[in-house]
Amino acid sequence: MTTTTHRFVLPLLLFVGIGVIASGCMPVGATNRNERRYPDSRRAPGRAERVIYTRVANDADRYVRTLDRSLRLNRRQEQRIVEMLSDRAYDRVRRTRTRDRDRAYPFPRRFDDRATRDWWRDADRGIERELNRRQRAVYRDLVREYERRADRNQPRGNGRGQQRGRRGNGRG
Protein backbone atom coordinates (compact mmCIF):
# COMPACT_ATOMS: atom_id res chain seq x y z
CA MET A 1 0.00 0.00 0.00
CA THR A 2 2.85 2.35 0.72
CA THR A 3 4.30 2.00 -2.77
CA THR A 4 0.92 2.60 -4.36
CA THR A 5 0.44 5.83 -2.37
CA HIS A 6 3.92 7.06 -3.28
CA ARG A 7 3.33 6.25 -6.90
CA PHE A 8 0.37 8.70 -7.02
CA VAL A 9 1.35 11.33 -4.43
CA LEU A 10 4.90 11.98 -5.58
CA PRO A 11 3.99 12.89 -9.20
CA LEU A 12 1.07 14.98 -7.92
CA LEU A 13 3.35 16.92 -5.55
CA LEU A 14 5.93 17.32 -8.27
CA PHE A 15 3.28 18.63 -10.70
CA VAL A 16 1.91 21.11 -8.13
CA GLY A 17 5.44 22.25 -7.20
CA ILE A 18 6.39 22.92 -10.82
CA GLY A 19 3.11 24.79 -11.30
CA VAL A 20 3.79 27.00 -8.28
CA ILE A 21 7.35 27.71 -9.40
CA ALA A 22 6.27 28.47 -12.96
CA SER A 23 3.48 30.78 -11.84
CA GLY A 24 5.88 32.64 -9.57
CA CYS A 25 8.20 33.26 -12.51
CA MET A 26 5.53 34.65 -14.80
CA PRO A 27 5.44 38.44 -15.27
CA VAL A 28 2.45 40.03 -13.63
CA GLY A 29 0.66 42.95 -15.26
CA ALA A 30 2.56 44.27 -18.24
CA THR A 31 2.16 42.24 -21.37
CA ASN A 32 3.29 44.87 -23.84
CA ARG A 33 6.80 46.29 -23.83
CA ASN A 34 5.51 49.89 -23.82
CA GLU A 35 2.67 49.28 -21.40
CA ARG A 36 4.78 49.25 -18.25
CA ARG A 37 6.10 52.74 -18.87
CA TYR A 38 2.79 54.57 -19.05
CA PRO A 39 2.84 57.07 -16.20
CA ASP A 40 -0.40 55.95 -14.57
CA SER A 41 -0.83 52.24 -15.06
CA ARG A 42 -3.92 52.15 -12.81
CA ARG A 43 -6.03 53.55 -15.62
CA ALA A 44 -6.00 52.26 -19.14
CA PRO A 45 -4.56 54.90 -21.46
CA GLY A 46 -6.85 56.21 -24.16
CA ARG A 47 -6.24 55.85 -27.86
CA ALA A 48 -4.65 59.31 -28.14
CA GLU A 49 -2.22 58.52 -25.32
CA ARG A 50 -1.25 55.21 -26.95
CA VAL A 51 -0.72 56.90 -30.32
CA ILE A 52 1.52 59.54 -28.75
CA TYR A 53 3.53 56.98 -26.82
CA THR A 54 3.93 54.69 -29.82
CA ARG A 55 5.15 57.60 -31.94
CA VAL A 56 7.58 58.69 -29.22
CA ALA A 57 8.87 55.14 -28.67
CA ASN A 58 9.44 54.63 -32.40
CA ASP A 59 11.26 57.94 -32.79
CA ALA A 60 13.41 57.28 -29.71
CA ASP A 61 14.31 53.84 -31.15
CA ARG A 62 15.23 55.46 -34.46
CA TYR A 63 17.41 58.07 -32.72
CA VAL A 64 19.24 55.40 -30.67
CA ARG A 65 19.81 53.27 -33.78
CA THR A 66 21.42 56.34 -35.38
CA LEU A 67 23.62 56.76 -32.31
CA ASP A 68 24.49 53.07 -32.30
CA ARG A 69 26.05 53.35 -35.75
CA SER A 70 28.63 55.80 -34.40
CA LEU A 71 28.93 54.74 -30.76
CA ARG A 72 28.55 50.94 -30.94
CA LEU A 73 26.24 50.77 -27.94
CA ASN A 74 25.67 47.55 -26.06
CA ARG A 75 22.14 46.23 -25.51
CA ARG A 76 21.84 47.60 -21.98
CA GLN A 77 22.91 51.09 -23.09
CA GLU A 78 20.45 51.05 -25.98
CA GLN A 79 17.59 49.96 -23.77
CA ARG A 80 18.26 52.52 -21.04
CA ILE A 81 18.69 55.41 -23.49
CA VAL A 82 15.50 54.50 -25.38
CA GLU A 83 13.54 54.26 -22.13
CA MET A 84 14.91 57.57 -20.88
CA LEU A 85 14.19 59.41 -24.13
CA SER A 86 10.76 57.82 -24.52
CA ASP A 87 9.66 58.58 -20.98
CA ARG A 88 10.91 62.16 -21.05
CA ALA A 89 9.47 62.94 -24.49
CA TYR A 90 6.14 61.30 -23.65
CA ASP A 91 5.86 63.29 -20.42
CA ARG A 92 6.71 66.52 -22.22
CA VAL A 93 4.16 66.00 -24.97
CA ARG A 94 1.47 64.72 -22.61
CA ARG A 95 1.78 67.78 -20.35
CA THR A 96 1.51 70.16 -23.30
CA ARG A 97 -1.82 71.57 -24.45
CA THR A 98 -3.29 69.60 -27.30
CA ARG A 99 -2.92 72.34 -29.89
CA ASP A 100 0.78 72.92 -29.01
CA ARG A 101 1.84 69.26 -28.98
CA ASP A 102 3.46 69.29 -32.42
CA ARG A 103 5.68 72.17 -31.36
CA ALA A 104 6.60 70.42 -28.10
CA TYR A 105 7.48 67.16 -29.85
CA PRO A 106 11.30 66.90 -29.70
CA PHE A 107 11.93 64.42 -32.52
CA PRO A 108 13.70 64.52 -34.89
CA ARG A 109 16.39 66.31 -32.95
CA ARG A 110 15.71 70.01 -33.41
CA PHE A 111 16.06 73.32 -31.61
CA ASP A 112 12.99 75.36 -32.54
CA ASP A 113 12.74 77.10 -29.20
CA ARG A 114 14.54 77.43 -25.89
CA ALA A 115 12.41 74.78 -24.18
CA THR A 116 13.28 72.18 -26.83
CA ARG A 117 16.95 73.13 -26.73
CA ASP A 118 16.94 72.75 -22.93
CA TRP A 119 15.10 69.44 -23.23
CA TRP A 120 17.81 68.10 -25.54
CA ARG A 121 20.62 69.40 -23.32
CA ASP A 122 19.11 67.54 -20.35
CA ALA A 123 18.63 64.45 -22.52
CA ASP A 124 22.26 64.70 -23.68
CA ARG A 125 23.44 64.72 -20.07
CA GLY A 126 21.33 61.63 -19.37
CA ILE A 127 22.67 59.88 -22.44
CA GLU A 128 26.27 60.75 -21.54
CA ARG A 129 25.79 59.12 -18.12
CA GLU A 130 25.14 55.82 -19.92
CA LEU A 131 28.25 56.01 -22.12
CA ASN A 132 31.87 55.13 -21.49
CA ARG A 133 34.66 57.71 -21.98
CA ARG A 134 35.33 56.94 -25.65
CA GLN A 135 31.62 56.91 -26.52
CA ARG A 136 31.07 60.16 -24.62
CA ALA A 137 33.72 61.98 -26.70
CA VAL A 138 32.19 60.73 -29.96
CA TYR A 139 28.68 61.62 -28.74
CA ARG A 140 29.73 65.19 -27.90
CA ASP A 141 31.10 65.55 -31.43
CA LEU A 142 27.79 64.29 -32.84
CA VAL A 143 25.86 66.78 -30.70
CA ARG A 144 28.07 69.64 -31.85
CA GLU A 145 27.41 68.65 -35.45
CA TYR A 146 23.63 68.51 -34.82
CA GLU A 147 23.78 71.99 -33.28
CA ARG A 148 25.88 73.38 -36.15
CA ARG A 149 23.43 71.97 -38.64
CA ALA A 150 20.50 73.44 -36.69
CA ASP A 151 22.19 76.86 -36.55
CA ARG A 152 22.74 76.82 -40.31
CA ASN A 153 19.08 75.99 -40.90
CA GLN A 154 17.72 78.70 -38.58
CA PRO A 155 16.36 81.74 -40.39
CA ARG A 156 18.36 84.90 -39.75
CA GLY A 157 17.02 88.38 -39.24
CA ASN A 158 13.79 89.70 -37.86
CA GLY A 159 11.57 89.02 -40.85
CA ARG A 160 11.93 92.54 -42.29
CA GLY A 161 15.14 91.92 -44.19
CA GLN A 162 17.40 93.05 -41.34
CA GLN A 163 20.09 90.95 -39.76
CA ARG A 164 20.29 90.61 -36.00
CA GLY A 165 23.27 92.21 -34.35
CA ARG A 166 24.98 95.46 -35.25
CA ARG A 167 23.00 98.00 -37.17
CA GLY A 168 25.97 99.88 -38.51
CA ASN A 169 25.28 103.05 -36.52
CA GLY A 170 28.36 102.72 -34.33
CA ARG A 171 26.52 101.28 -31.36
CA GLY A 172 27.29 97.71 -30.32
Side-chain angles (χ1 to χ4, degrees):
M1 177 151 169
T2 311
T3 58
T4 310
T5 306
H6 285 301
R7 188 183 310 163
F8 293 110
V9 174
L10 188 60
L12 180 64
L13 287 176
L14 188 60
F15 180 72
V16 170
I18 290 172
V20 169
I21 290 171
S23 67
C25 296
M26 297 291 290
V28 178
T31 57
N32 182 334
R33 132 191 140 139
N34 294 333
E35 185 178 328
R36 73 163 187 83
R37 294 196 316 244
Y38 280 118
D40 189 2
S41 59
R42 293 178 300 227
R43 66 176 177 82
R47 182 184 185 289
E49 298 287 313
R50 285 192 309 267
V51 167
I52 291 168
Y53 196 83
T54 301
R55 180 180 172 201
V56 165
N58 289 338
D59 286 342
D61 281 338
R62 190 175 302 120
Y63 182 75
V64 171
R65 280 193 310 260
T66 302
L67 293 180
D68 186 35
R69 287 184 205 118
S70 300
L71 304 176
R72 307 202 33 92
L73 301 171
N74 63 39
R75 183 170 281 155
R76 183 187 65 80
Q77 289 172 319
E78 286 180 30
Q79 182 180 14
R80 291 180 68 161
I81 293 170
V82 166
E83 286 179 7
M84 188 247 331
L85 288 174
S86 298
D87 291 345
R88 289 173 47 87
Y90 176 72
D91 287 341
R92 179 172 187 212
V93 172
R94 192 176 54 85
R95 281 189 245 130
T96 305
R97 293 186 313 212
T98 304
R99 66 180 180 187
D100 296 332
R101 284 186 172 173
D102 284 339
R103 203 179 77 207
Y105 194 76
F107 295 106
R109 189 177 177 118
R110 59 192 174 90
F111 303 106
D112 291 346
D113 58 2
R114 176 172 280 161
T116 306
R117 187 177 292 266
D118 291 345
W119 187 91
W120 273 109
R121 288 211 172 117
D122 289 342
D124 290 338
R125 282 192 290 273
I127 290 169
E128 286 179 9
R129 281 192 289 271
E130 298 298 328
L131 304 176
N132 63 37
R133 184 179 298 163
R134 182 197 60 80
Q135 291 170 326
R136 202 173 300 131
V138 173
Y139 183 70
R140 287 180 182 153
D141 291 340
L142 287 172
V143 168
R144 273 189 232 112
E145 182 58 34
Y146 280 128
E147 289 176 352
R148 268 190 238 120
R149 219 177 292 149
D151 286 342
R152 280 192 300 246
N153 294 335
Q154 287 293 331
R156 299 286 184 210
N158 59 10
R160 292 177 283 173
Q162 295 177 346
Q163 291 275 328
R164 284 186 273 171
R166 302 178 102 178
R167 293 186 165 187
N169 60 3
R171 288 188 262 172

